[in-house]
Amino acid sequence: MALHSQDIAWFSWGALRGYPARTLLMLIAMAIGVSAVVVLTSLGEGARLYVMDRFASLGTNLIIVFPGRSETAGINPTTMMGETPRDLTLNDALALTRSYNVRRITPINVGSADVSYLSRSREVVVLGASHEMLAIRHWELAQGKFLPAMDLDRASPVTVIGSKIRDELFGAERALGKWIRIGDRRFRVIGVMGSEGRSIGVDVQETIMIPIASAQQIFNTSSVFRILVEAKTREAIEPVKQFIIDTLQQRHQGKKDVTVITQDAVLETFDRILGALTYAVGGIAAISLAVAGILIMNVMLVAVSQRTAEIGLLKALGASPRQIIVLILAEAFLLSSLGAIAGYLLGQLGSWSIRYAFPDLPAYAPAWAVVIALVVAVITGLVFSLMPARRAARLDPVLALSGR
Amino acid sequence: MLPVVILKDDDVIMIELAEIHRDFLVGDQVVHALDDVTLTIESGEYVSIMGPSGSGKSTLLNLLGLLDRPTSGVYRLNGKDVTSLSDIEQAQVRNREIGFVFQMFHLVPRLTAAENVELPLILAGMPPEQRKPKVANVLDDLGLTDRSHHKPEQLSGGQRQRVAIARATVTEPNVILADEPTGNLDHKSGTDVIRILEQLNERGITLIMVTHDPEMGQRAWRQLRMIDGCMHSDHSNDDQINPDHGAS
């Protein structure tokens, strides 16, 4: 005596519609559980993508070289003797271009200087770099041109200014072609940075860029603060790193006195931390699913006792214990599926609202979280209904029918 | 006047109870709801079971309907020992061979009359296209066609009991067990319901009815009287046909 599946569906649907308050209550419980998972994981995932994106805007396949051994290398003779590490120079930077795997490099110097135009002046972060800086950092120009391609040691009097500096110095006036004073030198404005170029560490809008050699003159130094190296591919990062260490060791009389860090290492760490965070909030949200499951068990128990007479009748009409279990479970399945779907829609609406409120945050629930939330919802619904279903199947029809 | 009852292959024993006991434990006292009941009912009989409340008549009916199992004794239905069947097999027997009519009607409130009648066929796993004509037939038989899409709450007591009878007969059972079928009805609808049940009996369905209304009980050919779980008397109207019954 196998029930037809459409009959099971019809009967369960009827039972759900017969008790709208109970059905609504369970739907809400399930929906809250599922939507909590969807919204929270989308938040976590959004945060992860946001941070990754910010880091990626520092540059892709980027390797940063700076003078001195990093402290994490532990104690070595240099630190013991208090010796100052050898500076990096423009020639060091030039030497790093001699690898097939290196796409582009730029040495940089950073300092602050007074910048003035006519009577207006302010102190500004001045960045010395080569023309490659724009491509390495994925920055965009709003107007004019970037620093021209030329020899690193040529101190050309040109500058590219951030949009905020432009507004402050020139107001509504046209900035391109004007001469401004940086420190005690005069530079011609040849470009304005776009406003998008905000990345961790540097606010491009409030920066002024000049050729590296000019920066060395202004800050009166022959050294270089950092060298940024972009490898051709992700796979090339390790070889390039080794190449940099070897080359600079040769140039520095055999001393390993530079530190080389890669963007990837930092990125990976953040990726791991934020990924774990997503799992964690997802797990916390899953607790609400379990709570929903327990609620389903309660409500199904109530449903069984509410419908004792009906179950007794079904037995009298020839329903086997199995059929009773199937009918109760079908009801729970229908209920938790509908709840899960409602929760999914609610959750998508929630993450849409987050994206609407914070356009920078790519808050999309990851597919795995959605699938798990839906599957767990349906399974908890079924598992927690097993006990009520068994109880219904065991009901004594005589007692059930007499309403005792 | 000739008897209108058509005699079939007579003396086919349908129900055979042998030394049936049914004990209940109430607190720490054993109550003998059925105390050594032995009974034979032939196919096509019209039996009423009467007795004061607590005499065990409902327990007997539940046992006959396989809703309850005896503490000891043997119950054969159509020659087959049904006391030893599994739950699933008993459910099948209930579905195919027994129709129940209850005092409280026991219709599912959210289902229409037709859907209530359809229920046993659904449980039997019959495909929908075979069910619909059967349901329509039975409802038509009982004059309920225009009520088939009404919910129980929209029906009168007598109509509800007729729907319940339709549900009991749609599987074409051999026996109908009626537990105080008129208990919740006024006199007129009660009489209507009894007539319908008697008409079914005339078509050959065995009718066993529990009642404490002597007027109803005496309409049956055979009247069992129970007291304190024992069969007190077994009286048959063999010599005469109930005038009401004959006229109907």
Side-chain angles (χ1 to χ4, degrees), chain B residues 193-211:
Chain B
V193 162
I194 286 291
R195 286 228 174 94
I196 291 166
L197 289 172
E198 285 168 353
Q199 279 166 13
L200 291 168
N201 173 244
E202 280 167 41
R203 291 189 213 162
I205 297 177
T206 312
L207 176 60
I208 302 172
M209 179 172 68
V210 161
T211 181

Side-chain angles (χ1 to χ4, degrees), chain A residues 4 7 310 315 317 401, chain B residues 94-95 106 110 123 125 131:
Chain A
H4 289 266
D7 289 333
E310 184 183 321
K315 288 192 147 187
L317 295 182
L401 282 170
Chain B
R94 274 202 297 273
N95 185 259
H106 284 300
R110 62 170 184 277
L123 292 171
R131 297 196 305 246

Side-chain angles (χ1 to χ4, degrees), chain B residues 117-244:
Chain B
V117 173
E118 202 178 355
L119 219 44
L121 300 178
I122 291 174
L123 292 171
M126 185 180 284
E129 61 275 12
Q130 289 178 32
R131 297 196 305 246
K132 300 294 177 195
K134 272 179 186 280
V135 171
N137 260 340
V138 175
L139 285 174
D140 186 41
D141 250 15
L142 293 172
L144 288 165
T145 305
D146 56 336
R147 293 273 177 262
S148 59
H149 296 295
H150 287 55
K151 296 270 173 69
E153 62 190 16
Q154 299 165 303
L155 300 172
S156 71
Q159 286 169 333
R160 288 185 207 185
Q161 196 59 300
R162 265 146 69 197
V163 172
I165 293 170
R167 182 181 61 194
T169 51
V170 74
T171 52
E172 295 161 18
N174 297 319
V175 55
I176 286 184
L177 303 176
D179 191 355
E180 309 257 12
T182 60
N184 267 11
L185 299 176
D186 58 54
H187 185 78
K188 188 186 170 298
S189 358
T191 313
D192 282 351
V193 162
I194 286 291
R195 286 228 174 94
I196 291 166
L197 289 172
E198 285 168 353
Q199 279 166 13
L200 291 168
N201 173 244
E202 280 167 41
R203 291 189 213 162
I205 297 177
T206 312
L207 176 60
I208 302 172
M209 179 172 68
V210 161
T211 181
H212 58 236
D213 179 350
E215 191 196 331
M216 294 292 177
Q218 258 137 39
R219 296 168 68 106
W221 300 358
R222 183 176 172 193
Q223 293 142 25
L224 304 176
R225 195 164 182 81
M226 292 190 70
I227 290 173
D228 289 341
C230 300
M231 201 56 74
H232 182 255
S233 70
D234 183 346
H235 170 73
S236 296
N237 301 347
D238 274 343
D239 43 0
Q240 57 155 45
I241 285 155
N242 189 308
D244 265 5

Side-chain angles (χ1 to χ4, degrees), chain A residues 100-170:
Chain A
Y100 168 78
N101 281 327
V102 172
R103 192 193 298 275
R104 41 177 89 95
I105 64 137
T106 178
I108 55 174
N109 264 341
V110 181
S112 67
D114 281 330
V115 174
S116 59
Y117 173 69
L118 301 179
S119 61
R120 286 187 280 269
S121 105
R122 65 164 284 190
E123 193 168 308
V124 171
V125 175
V126 175
L127 183 72
S130 82
H131 68 282
E132 303 276 33
M133 188 68 178
L134 190 72
I136 288 177
R137 280 291 173 98
H138 303 298
W139 285 337
E140 270 168 40
L141 272 176
Q143 293 174 319
K145 290 178 296 189
F146 196 66
L147 301 173
M150 58 189 176
D151 287 344
L152 286 180
D153 54 2
R154 235 187 100 198
S156 180
V158 290
T159 179
V160 176
I161 63 178
S163 54
K164 207 163 171 188
I165 306 289
R166 192 245 343 246
D167 292 345
E168 284 172 7
L169 290 183
F170 297 98

Side-chain angles (χ1 to χ4, degrees), chain A residues 163-184:
Chain A
S163 54
K164 207 163 171 188
I165 306 289
R166 192 245 343 246
D167 292 345
E168 284 172 7
L169 290 183
F170 297 98
E173 217 179 308
R174 188 178 157 81
L176 288 183
K178 300 276 161 48
W179 289 83
I180 58 172
R181 182 168 287 278
I182 303 174
D184 51 0

